[in-house]
Amino acid sequence: MEKYIVIQDIEAEPEWPKLFGTALSVCGSFQIMYPDGEWDKENPLLTGKPEFEKLEEIQNFPWSGMKDSTIYSGPLNAESRELFWHHMVPREDDYVYPLWNFNLYREGKLVFSIQDFSVCLAYSYPEMLEIFAEHGIDLLSLEG
């Protein structure tokens, strides 16, 4: 099993926009998890669900991680990247709720996982450490 670093609160991490932007740019696919049922703007677990459901090439299947929930899976393209960025690195004048639970993949390998809105698991594959270093990010120094 690959080692990962844990960032407990992405909102408090000054490197978050650079880290997330780098991960978005090098990953090729995603999975995002949502409870089943109709969208409700008052339920933060459903943030972004209507937008993700409308993406081209989106697939969905039951998620075993939570009863009555679904995984939406698809490619990271310009539209899906913008959607992730909008929710995970919002402008100060346009706050939106972050996404609850999702994974980013590079060549089929899990690289990045967001859980409970603000906990990041960043997998420290040698190639990812190198990619982040090329962007001025020492991934291993961010754990905490």
Side-chain angles (χ1 to χ4, degrees):
M1 177 148 186
E2 290 294 325
K3 180 178 174 2
Y4 55 84
I5 63 117
V6 178
I7 300 171
Q8 292 292 337
D9 183 3
I10 59 175
E11 290 182 13
E13 176 52 58
E15 293 287 327
W16 175 247
K18 186 191 257 187
L19 177 67
F20 189 62
T22 300
L24 271 181
S25 71
V26 301
C27 288
S29 62
F30 70 89
Q31 289 185 335
I32 188 163
M33 295 67 157
Y34 286 109
D36 292 340
E38 295 298 313
W39 183 75
D40 175 2
K41 68 180 180 178
E42 300 298 320
N43 184 346
L45 298 181
L46 298 173
T47 297
K49 184 177 180 180
E51 294 89 349
F52 279 97
E53 288 178 322
K54 292 177 186 173
L55 291 174
E56 289 185 31
E57 300 182 61
I58 197 79
Q59 299 177 0
N60 63 64
F61 46 92
W63 180 39
S64 62
M66 185 172 89
K67 184 179 177 186
D68 299 324
S69 59
T70 299
I71 292 177
Y72 293 83
S73 179
L76 275 170
N77 53 33
E79 187 178 10
S80 58
R81 282 184 174 97
E82 178 58 34
L83 191 52
F84 277 107
W85 184 262
H86 174 72
H87 284 284
M88 300 311 294
V89 189
R91 298 186 326 248
E92 288 181 27
D93 63 339
D94 186 30
Y95 181 79
V96 294
Y97 284 110
L99 300 170
W100 168 56
N101 196 327
F102 66 88
N103 299 320
L104 302 180
Y105 297 86
R106 177 180 166 90
E107 300 172 357
K109 290 169 72 172
L110 178 60
V111 169
F112 223 66
S113 182
I114 298 298
Q115 302 173 358
D116 295 327
F117 303 102
S118 64
V119 177
C120 174
L121 306 180
Y123 288 78
S124 55
Y125 303 109
E127 66 269 22
M128 289 309 299
L129 292 174
E130 187 176 313
I131 288 169
F132 286 123
E134 289 170 2
H135 287 89
I137 303 165
D138 178 5
L139 187 63
L140 298 177
S141 72
L142 300 181
E143 186 161 29

